[in-house]
Amino acid sequence: DQQVKQNSPSLSVQEGRISILNCDYTNSMFDYFLWYKKYPAEGPTFLISISSIKDKNEDGRFTVFLNKSAKHLSLHIVPSQPGDSAVYFCAASSLERDMRFGAGTRLTVKP
Amino acid sequence: EAQVTQNPRYLITVTGKKLTVTCSQNMNHEYMSWYRQDPGLGLRQIYYSMNVEVTDKGDVPEGYKVSRKEKRNFPLILESPSPNQTSLYFCASSLSSSSYNEQFFGPGTRLTVL
C-alpha cells in the first residue's frame, strides 16, 4: 500500500521554464513533508521540506506547496536549469510513523 | 567531511551465499536506516535503528538482518540471498529518531543475486 504517490514517472521541461513535480499522500497522519533529489550513482540528498502548519516554503529557486485538504504537495523549480535534471522523491512522515517515500519523478531539463 | 559510506558499491553474488553490506556514518547520528530502491516502488525501508542495540523492522524486513553494536556502524546482512533481493540499497542516518529530521544517504550498493 503506497501511502505516498508520485504519479508522473518523468517530466521534461525547457531550460528557464518552470518545473512542477507533484505528490499525493493518503495518510492524514502525515504532518511533515520533504523532497529529495537523486543524481545517478549517488544517494538521495535533502532538498526542501514543509511542515503541515504551513502551506508554502521557499528556498531560492525551489518552492514547495502543501494542500492539506487535497493531501497534495508540489515542488516548483523556477527557473529550471540543466543541472536540476535528476530523480526527485517526495517523502512524508509523522510522529508515529517513519518516513515514507514516493516512487520518484525523473526530471529532464533541456538546454 | 560529514558522510555516510557503504561498501561494497557493487556486488554480484549467487543464491544462498551469505553477504554483508557495511554502512558507517561519521556524524554521531543516533538514527540509522536501510532502504531498497526498486523501479516503480521508490524507497522502501528494510530496518531501522534508533540507537545502539535498538533495531526494528521497516516495511520489507523479510530476508534481512541488521545489528547496531556501535553508534557509527549499521551493517545489513543477507543470510541466504535470493534473486528477489536484487536491488539498489541505501543506508541513511539522521541526527535523532524524530521522523521530522532529514536523512543523509550513502551512495548506494547495487546488489545482483543470480
Side-chain angles (χ1 to χ4, degrees), chain A residues 30-41:
Chain A
F30 288 138
D31 58 3
Y32 192 66
F33 305 89
L34 309 91
W35 285 93
Y36 285 81
K37 177 179 180 179
K38 183 185 177 304
Y39 291 119

Side-chain angles (χ1 to χ4, degrees), chain B residues 78-90:
Chain B
L78 285 73
E79 294 270 2
S80 182
S82 62
N84 65 12
Q85 292 178 297
T86 293
S87 187
L88 179 57
Y89 291 86
F90 290 101

Side-chain angles (χ1 to χ4, degrees), chain B residues 10 16 22 33 35 50-51 62 65 75 82 96 100 108:
Chain B
Y10 301 91
T22 65
S33 181
Y35 294 88
M50 294 198 184
N51 215 325
E62 294 77 21
K65 283 174 58 177
S82 62
S96 77
Y100 302 141

Side-chain angles (χ1 to χ4, degrees), chain A residues 23-99:
Chain A
C23 178
D24 297 294
Y25 61 97
T26 57
N27 191 335
S28 57
M29 296 298 292
F30 288 138
D31 58 3
Y32 192 66
F33 305 89
L34 309 91
W35 285 93
Y36 285 81
K37 177 179 180 179
K38 183 185 177 304
Y39 291 119
E42 295 182 12
T45 55
F46 170 73
L47 187 59
I48 192 169
S49 63
I50 187 167
S51 162
S52 61
I53 61 172
K54 294 185 174 182
D55 54 20
K56 176 183 172 181
N57 188 26
E58 196 171 346
D59 183 2
R61 297 185 297 113
F62 302 91
T63 303
V64 56
F65 295 92
L66 176 62
N67 182 334
K68 279 180 294 186
S69 60
K71 294 193 182 71
H72 176 84
L73 63 154
S74 60
L75 174 68
H76 292 212
I77 307 173
V78 184
S80 302
Q81 299 173 353
D84 296 329
S85 297
V87 176
Y88 290 78
F89 290 101
C90 170
S93 66
S94 69
L95 202 56
E96 285 80 30
R97 294 226 60 162
D98 261 7
M99 214 168 284

Side-chain angles (χ1 to χ4, degrees), chain B residues 93-104:
Chain B
S93 72
S94 63
L95 188 60
S96 77
S97 58
S98 166
S99 300
Y100 302 141
N101 287 323
E102 66 175 274
Q103 295 189 39
F104 295 81

